[in-house]
Amino acid sequence: MDALSAVGSAGEMGFVLRGFVAGLLASLACGLGAIPVAFRGLRLEERIGLAYAFAGGLMFAAAFYNLLMPALTMGGDSASRLLPVAKTLAGMGLGAAFLWAVDGWLTPDRLASSVFRSVGGRQGTLIFLAMAFHSIPEGIAVGVGYGSEAHVGCDGGLGTYIAIAIGIHNIPEGLAVALPLRLGGASLGRCFLLAFLTSLPQPIAAVPAAWLVWLAEPLMLPLLGFAAGAMIYLVLLELIPDALKRHDPPEIAWSFLAGFGLMVLVQVAL
């Protein structure tokens, strides 16, 4: 029995390690989203508002398709669907409330510190936090995928498929992080680093999720809602108002729709 337990533990450890590595690679894909901001031909400085609206469209689509839609379709039959929806909406409200509280806490004195200046001040800090929280349920999804292969016996590379899908999604999400940072004067290297760091919770969250599938799965709904609420609140609080100060509303609407459409195409392509 001891030998069988050791083999089982070693097998579980292998799935956990694979989940961590897959989550880490998905995080690096987020950093790749910063590459387009290196091209001077985009002339971002002349199109700040359009870039903000485009990033807002990317984030809004990610919140809707990658977070809210999976949460609202996860678990429960038609008779018991209300509870999952309530959990998701409660998490959504908490996510928006959290970002609202952080925004109030970021006084000018606190923003003057080198820590907050390094992530782009008030707006950069809010973007960083919202996207970091967005990465936690994605990391849990990767971990649960690999953990299900170990504990439930699922085959077909479920964990690998989830990690690849999230990695592809992370590229335009990294662009959404990098655009406002670049417009704020951040270097290309800093844009890449911060885009990568916003996705670093993925491999960290994947490890306990792979080990504790039974615990991670019930947490998914409120976490998905929390991340979606934070991102939507950020788009409405920061990106769209800033964009409207710099360009005409029709231009902002088209740019937002372009970002939204790009993320939808990525989603459908998978």
Side-chain angles (χ1 to χ4, degrees):
M1 290 294 293
D2 291 341
L4 290 175
S5 298
V7 172
S9 298
E12 289 178 12
M13 188 62 186
F15 281 107
V16 170
L17 182 60
R18 287 170 59 191
F20 176 80
V21 172
L24 187 61
L25 292 175
S27 299
L28 288 172
C30 194
L32 294 178
I35 292 177
V37 303
F39 295 100
R40 295 183 178 179
L42 295 177
R43 295 183 294 173
L44 294 177
E45 295 78 7
E46 300 175 17
R47 302 185 174 99
I48 294 178
L50 300 179
Y52 282 161
F54 185 81
L58 289 171
M59 290 185 187
F60 194 87
F64 184 74
Y65 280 97
N66 299 350
L67 299 171
L68 287 180
M69 280 188 63
L72 295 175
T73 56
M74 189 181 296
D77 53 27
S78 57
S80 59
R81 189 62 58 85
L82 186 60
L83 182 59
V85 172
K87 289 181 178 178
T88 303
L89 293 179
M92 186 174 171
L94 287 173
F98 172 79
L99 219 62
W100 171 74
V102 171
D103 182 45
W105 182 80
L106 291 173
T107 62
D109 289 340
R110 290 191 173 101
L111 288 171
S113 70
S114 58
V115 174
F116 293 118
R117 288 202 307 269
S118 66
V119 294
R122 174 176 166 273
Q123 188 180 79
T125 300
L126 294 174
I127 292 172
F128 183 88
L129 288 173
M131 297 303 285
F133 276 112
H134 163 264
S135 297
I136 294 174
E138 291 185 341
I140 291 177
V142 173
V144 167
Y146 281 103
S148 297
E149 293 183 41
H151 296 288
V152 186
C154 295
D155 52 16
L158 176 62
T160 301
Y161 171 78
I162 294 173
I164 291 173
I166 289 175
I168 294 172
H169 288 140
N170 280 350
I171 296 175
E173 289 169 8
L175 176 61
V177 175
L179 274 173
L181 291 171
R182 186 66 166 174
L183 293 170
S187 65
L188 179 62
R190 184 173 294 278
C191 289
F192 176 90
L193 177 62
L194 291 176
F196 165 70
L197 289 178
T198 60
S199 200
L200 192 59
Q202 286 179 5
I204 296 173
V207 172
W211 252 319
L212 304 171
V213 175
W214 59 271
L215 177 62
E217 285 184 315
L219 292 175
M220 283 295 289
L221 291 178
L223 281 174
L224 287 167
F226 187 98
M231 289 178 66
I232 293 172
Y233 185 84
L234 169 68
V235 171
L236 297 176
L237 175 75
E238 286 289 322
L239 297 181
I240 298 304
D242 275 5
L244 289 170
K245 292 177 184 176
R246 304 168 189 273
H247 291 274
D248 294 332
E251 294 178 304
I252 298 306
W254 283 112
S255 187
F256 179 91
L257 287 171
F260 188 93
L262 173 61
M263 186 61 77
V264 171
L265 285 175
V266 170
Q267 180 76 22
V268 173
L270 296 176

